[in-house]
Amino acid sequence: MTDALGLGLPMRRQRHGLPERVTIWEVGPRDGLQAEAVALGVDDRVDLIRRLAAAGAGVIEAGSFVRADRVPQMAGSAEVLVALSDLDVRLPVLTPNLRGLDDAVAAGAREVAVFLSATERFSEANLGAPKAAAETAAEAVVRAALAQGIRVRGYVSMVWGDPWEGPVELGASVELSERMLEWGVAEVSLGDTIGVATPGAVSDVVGAHRDRGIAVDLLALHMHDTYGQALANVYAGLEAGVSIFDSAVAGTGGCPFAKSATGNLATEDLLWMLDGLDIEHGMDLSAIADTGSWLSAALGRATTSRVAKAIAGGKGAR
């Protein structure tokens, strides 16, 4: 197989109207690992994050302060943060409640994230509470974090479809985004949790936010690749002006509370497309692919990234 990177591929061709630079929010160490069958220990997770940082990742979601009996893959997130205290990158962590926030702050967290669901059924499955109760709890976390000078990101799950309720009305995600921004979150990540979105639907959701006065630079997209639409959906987001995208090295992940969810958009696949569009992102594709190979070996399963597979084949042919 050809060493495409060594040949200077992909060719770079800009497209008018797309952002010149984007921020990639690497979710592999949290959203990626939380649904994997093999639970990595603290040392391996620290190693993974250091590899990602060395490859240029500037924002790496480092863990989740949830109950270990519900998400055992995230046990030891405090130890992970403490071990990375010297690392000069942003390391947000998920804090679903005030106890999680307190534990995260004690471990040195400077950025946290809260989750809400656009649908009732997933709120009960993922957060163990109806939407209204979950919103009350999330607001308390956001206000407590902001009072301590900690940056907060808001997530909205099931924006484009729910495995129990089906299609989701546009207004459901817009109302949650408005609410969280009113609380003071810095940005809202819109999640295609089970990977059913298509480009037109992505454009409609972003447009519905803009129509309600929400600036597009306050939005991120978090796409899963269940039906092979993740990159097309990212492109629709770029056309709509979105400049923050979540992805996971080696396409790890899914969701432990939505069984139809498969892996996140692979960071390697995202970087290949962004490089081809000549959009700056700050990461080294070859180094990320190497990290993905290391992670896949540690997890005992193949990467889902087609770009990573092609790069590995090309390197083997040198």
Side-chain angles (χ1 to χ4, degrees):
M1 185 176 290
T2 301
D3 178 7
L5 294 179
L7 291 171
L9 297 172
M11 297 173 64
R12 293 176 179 264
R13 294 289 186 272
Q14 294 181 337
R15 284 292 175 268
H16 178 70
L18 301 188
E20 295 180 357
R21 182 177 182 82
V22 300
T23 297
I24 297 176
W25 190 287
E26 170 61 51
V27 299
R30 198 279 299 172
D31 195 35
L33 295 184
Q34 73 173 6
E36 294 291 335
V38 173
L40 298 187
V42 168
D43 289 346
D44 282 337
R45 287 153 59 194
V46 170
D47 193 0
L48 169 61
I49 292 168
R50 290 192 180 280
R51 287 170 184 261
L52 291 167
V59 187
I60 307 169
E61 210 165 64
S64 180
F65 287 77
V66 295
R67 283 169 38 193
D69 61 324
R70 283 179 60 82
V71 189
Q73 295 90 337
M74 290 293 100
S77 287
E79 289 88 340
V80 170
L81 269 188
V82 170
L84 295 168
S85 58
D86 63 313
L87 201 59
D88 187 23
V89 298
R90 293 167 56 192
L91 297 172
V93 293
L94 182 65
T95 54
N97 50 48
L98 287 172
R99 177 174 177 178
L101 175 65
D102 290 342
D103 291 344
V105 172
R110 301 308 305 160
E111 289 192 49
V112 301
V114 297
F115 262 89
L116 290 174
S117 171
T119 66
E120 195 67 51
R121 286 291 302 274
F122 187 66
S123 181
E124 294 176 1
N126 187 41
L127 299 169
K131 287 177 61 177
E135 290 171 25
T136 300
E139 181 180 5
V141 173
V142 172
R143 296 196 185 283
L146 293 176
Q148 300 174 74
I150 293 173
R151 187 183 192 275
V152 187
R153 176 190 236 205
Y155 278 99
V156 180
S157 300
M158 298 295 175
V159 172
W160 286 274
D162 176 282
W164 298 282
E165 299 182 19
V168 178
E169 294 293 330
L170 286 175
S173 61
V174 176
E175 289 172 6
L176 284 182
S177 297
E178 279 186 320
R179 204 161 298 148
M180 286 196 282
L181 289 167
E182 288 171 0
W183 299 342
V185 303
E187 66 192 40
V188 177
S189 177
L190 303 172
D192 182 21
T193 313
I194 57 173
V196 295
T198 53
V202 170
S203 299
D204 285 350
V205 167
V206 175
H209 280 72
R210 186 186 290 116
D211 291 345
R212 291 278 281 268
I214 297 174
V216 71
D217 61 359
L218 298 177
L219 301 177
L221 292 181
H222 181 113
M223 315 309 295
H224 286 244
D225 207 27
T226 313
Y227 293 90
Q229 304 294 298
L231 277 180
N233 292 333
V234 167
Y235 195 86
L238 289 167
E239 289 186 313
V242 177
S243 60
I244 308 171
F245 297 95
D246 301 355
S247 63
V249 63
T252 48
C255 176
F257 306 108
K259 298 306 180 185
S260 58
T262 59
N264 289 280
L265 167 62
T267 303
E268 298 93 320
D269 295 353
L270 176 60
L271 296 186
W272 182 273
M273 186 177 80
L274 293 174
D275 283 346
L277 292 167
D278 203 18
I279 295 174
E280 291 293 326
H281 50 73
M283 298 172 75
D284 183 303
L285 174 53
S286 181
I288 287 293
D290 288 344
T291 299
S293 296
W294 172 87
L295 177 59
S296 297
L299 293 172
R301 60 103 160 145
T303 179
T304 64
S305 166
R306 297 178 71 170
V307 168
K309 292 175 183 175
I311 290 174
K315 288 180 177 177
R318 286 176 182 169

